[in-house]
Amino acid sequence: MNGSGPVNGSGPVNGSGPVNGSEARPSPVRAPKGTTARAHCPGHVLGPRPAARAQGAPHTRAEPVGPPPAPSGGPSLLRLVREDLHAVLDRDPSCSGRREALLHAGWQGLALYRLAHRHHTRGHRLRGALLTRLARLLTGMEIHPGARVGRRAFIDHGFGVVIGATAVIGDDVTLYHGVTLGSRGWLRDGADGTRRHPVLGDRVLIGTGASVLGPVTVGDGCRIPAHSLVLRDTAAPGAAAATDVTRFPPSILPATES
């Protein structure tokens, strides 16, 4: 020691004064644990200061982790499921309340379908297939996750209902058990990517055991009787070419060979 500074160049021996009477130097300020600060003496820096946000710069937040939001402009999954539940209360006279409606097989199958459809449209096809399989085991109905089902749908009983991949169903549609919205088989289907299943308009009602097969279109408000077979387009009631589907007209039945 020569009286010119601290023992090891980092500060005084005990922090209380000089070693040999030389002029005292201010002690560096220690920052709290986990923070950074500057000492009073130049050069004694415990850590760099965080960069200040420029004045007027927008404040950015970290992106949330989770599934992407629902497509803009469309109802949320929860809203669709709630509307289907209200449809059960409105159209099933045997249902006495919301708790009983939660046990409705048709509503349960629709709820699982809507979840499977979300996964399917976002590229998670295996998840959609697994949910479809679960719905089939629980309710006895099979709705392909690629099908498009409108709002406030009601499927009574649900058992035996089959809806194909390219089927499109409008709003406020009612289906009874055993209904099939299918194709005509791979021998008569078109090339891949073409429509193979029916399109139903709004407020359509299809009775028990009816089958609508192929790329046909059923107009708004049509009523298909039980155990019918529909292979041709059916116009909406009141249209120019409307048909009374309640009497099994030839326009919706397969043509017979003479």
Side-chain angles (χ1 to χ4, degrees):
M1 291 183 291
N2 53 10
S4 60
V7 174
N8 55 5
S10 60
V13 175
N14 55 9
S16 60
V19 176
N20 57 359
S22 60
E23 185 179 358
R25 295 184 181 181
S27 302
V29 178
R30 297 184 179 181
K33 189 175 182 180
T35 61
T36 58
R38 293 180 181 271
H40 291 293
C41 297
H44 291 269
V45 181
L46 299 179
R49 289 184 177 179
R53 182 165 57 93
Q55 186 175 4
H59 181 70
T60 58
R61 293 183 177 180
E63 294 295 333
V65 178
S72 58
S76 65
L77 176 63
L78 182 59
R79 182 172 182 178
L80 289 173
V81 172
R82 285 179 175 175
E83 290 178 348
D84 293 338
L85 186 65
H86 292 159
V88 174
L89 296 172
D90 293 338
R91 303 181 211 174
D92 190 351
S94 66
C95 188
S96 59
R98 179 169 297 185
R99 292 183 179 179
E100 187 175 352
L102 292 173
L103 300 176
H104 194 275
W107 175 81
Q108 293 174 352
L110 278 171
L112 288 172
Y113 151 75
R114 296 198 185 278
L115 181 59
H117 180 71
R118 287 296 174 96
H119 287 296
H120 183 87
T121 55
R122 293 174 178 178
H124 306 297
R125 297 175 65 92
L126 181 59
R127 297 180 188 176
L130 291 174
L131 289 170
T132 302
R133 181 64 177 175
L134 177 62
R136 182 176 179 177
L137 293 174
L138 294 178
T139 66
M141 53 190 291
E142 182 176 349
I143 307 177
H144 194 280
R148 290 186 291 167
V149 180
R151 303 172 67 172
R152 298 175 296 277
F154 173 66
I155 301 179
D156 197 13
H157 300 291
F159 191 83
V161 171
V162 177
I163 301 176
T166 60
V168 179
I169 299 176
D171 298 334
D172 302 297
V173 169
T174 299
L175 306 178
Y176 288 91
H177 61 279
V179 169
T180 299
L181 305 179
S183 65
R184 300 188 188 182
W186 64 272
L187 289 174
R188 303 192 60 176
D189 289 340
D192 292 339
T194 60
R195 183 165 70 90
R196 300 177 290 111
H197 299 90
V199 172
L200 306 185
D202 298 336
R203 303 176 306 281
V204 172
L205 185 148
I206 302 182
T208 301
S211 297
V212 185
L213 304 180
V216 301
T217 300
V218 179
D220 296 343
C222 284
R223 294 173 176 266
I224 307 297
H227 306 291
S228 300
L229 176 61
V230 180
L231 299 177
R232 298 180 182 179
D233 292 349
T234 303
T243 58
D244 185 6
V245 298
T246 61
R247 292 183 296 171
F248 299 87
S251 61
I252 67 170
L253 296 177
T256 58
E257 297 181 359
S258 57

